[in-house]
Structure formats: C-alpha cells, structure tokens
Amino acid sequence: YVATQRLDPSGGMFAPDGYTVVDGTSFSAPLVAGIAALVKQDKPGLRADQVKSVLVNTGSTVLVDYDNNNRQIQAPIAAMGGGKADAVRALRANLSAEPSSLGFGLLDGGNFPSLGLLLTNLSSGGSLNLSARVETRTAASSVNVTVTPSNFALLAGQETQLTVRLSGTRPAPGRYEGFIVISGGATE
C-alpha cells in the first residue's frame, strides 16, 4: 500500500481513504532502494551482493498470480522475483547467500552442472546451527536436486560453501522451480 491523493475523484490515483495498491518497478524500485539503505546503515560492512541477498532472501514468497482462465494460483518464482520486500526481516537477517539466486540454465546432454552457494554468518557474536534442503515448486520426475552439506554450523563472520547438484536424466523442456531453504538459528 502507498499513500495516494483523495481530493480529486477524477484523478489517476484517487482512493477515498488515501491509500492504494500499486505495482511495477517505478513503485517498487524506490521502496527497495530505501530498504537497501536501511540494511547498509545497520550493517555498513556488507558487500553489495550481501545486501542484495538480504533483500531477496527475506521477501515474502506468499504471492498470488492468475492463470489464463483468470483463476488465482501461487505466483511462479519467475513472476515474483524475491517476493514482497520486508524491511523488518531484512534488518534482522543474520545470513547471506551468494549468489542470491541459482539457475541450472539450459540442460544439454547428460552432464549436469553443480552450482556453488556461499553462505556468510552476518551476526557479530553468535554462531548459527543450520540445515539446508531443496523445496521444489515445479519438479521433473526424472531429476533430483540435492544440497550438501545439509547440516552445518557457522561462527560469527564465518563463510561456508554449499554445493547444489542436479542428477538423473534430462527432463522434458520446461521451467522447473524451487527454493534452497536454509533453516535453523543462533546458538549462544
């Protein structure tokens, strides 16, 4: 929601209560830039990729879209990007993942790539006990995506490299989506 004008009912963005729902990059870019500035102010030592990771990976992914028959569906990852920005979650983030998104690209032949994911504990004093798993949104039955290690600990400021592997047989052409879910928390 954003504030809008409520004086001219014939105006382009009129709403009687003074608030309206908007979308598009001309509305989202300044909001996300503001959240990025807040994150950088709170954690001035973060690199640009880490700020991006915090923004992308703390957004809400509970978003809807509409199919060709105007039925409400869960929004595809390609349509929602990092989701709906959440400034509070971004400021509380204690982990960054670089790159902030992964893609296996066009699969050609039988050799499947492995991708690296660098995780960094952004906290200043606590260690993190974490687990990693794959959550598929649209899956191909002929392939399997795994992440290793699946359980690990990170001391404050420490980094670790995860490996995301694709195995099986080449899937039918299409778009397959999912998430690498990192869960766990701080230990004293």
Side-chain angles (χ1 to χ4, degrees), residues 13-188:
M13 288 184 55
F14 171 79
D17 64 356
Y19 296 94
T20 189
V21 175
V22 295
D23 61 13
T25 54
S26 48
F27 289 105
S28 63
L31 296 173
V32 173
I35 298 170
L38 290 171
V39 169
K40 189 67 173 167
Q41 180 182 17
D42 187 56
K43 295 179 174 81
L46 294 186
R47 298 183 312 272
D49 283 349
Q50 290 174 317
V51 172
K52 177 182 177 183
S53 170
V54 165
L55 294 173
V56 169
N57 293 311
T58 58
S60 170
T61 58
V62 182
L63 298 172
V64 297
D65 202 353
Y66 294 90
D67 66 12
N68 293 335
N69 296 315
N70 208 30
R71 290 178 300 209
Q72 188 172 313
I73 59 170
Q74 188 175 25
I77 295 169
M80 73 173 152
K84 184 169 60 173
D86 187 329
V88 173
R89 285 183 66 198
L91 288 168
R92 291 182 181 160
N94 58 5
L95 187 71
S96 71
E98 298 169 73
S100 55
S101 63
L102 296 172
F104 288 104
L106 181 64
L107 299 176
D108 193 20
N111 295 328
F112 293 144
S114 292
L115 303 173
L117 184 63
L118 179 68
L119 300 181
T120 305
N121 180 344
L122 302 177
S123 67
S124 58
S127 64
L128 302 173
N129 284 332
L130 303 169
S131 62
R133 64 182 172 81
V134 176
E135 181 180 292
T136 57
R137 182 69 79 76
T138 54
S141 60
S142 63
V143 296
N144 189 35
V145 181
T146 57
V147 58
T148 54
S150 59
N151 294 293
F152 51 94
L154 282 175
L155 299 174
Q158 186 180 17
E159 297 178 336
T160 193
Q161 183 82 20
L162 301 184
T163 301
V164 182
R165 287 190 175 84
L166 188 62
S167 61
T169 59
R170 185 175 172 194
R175 176 179 289 166
Y176 303 100
E177 301 179 324
F179 296 99
I180 305 296
V181 178
I182 309 294
S183 57
T187 61
E188 296 303 322

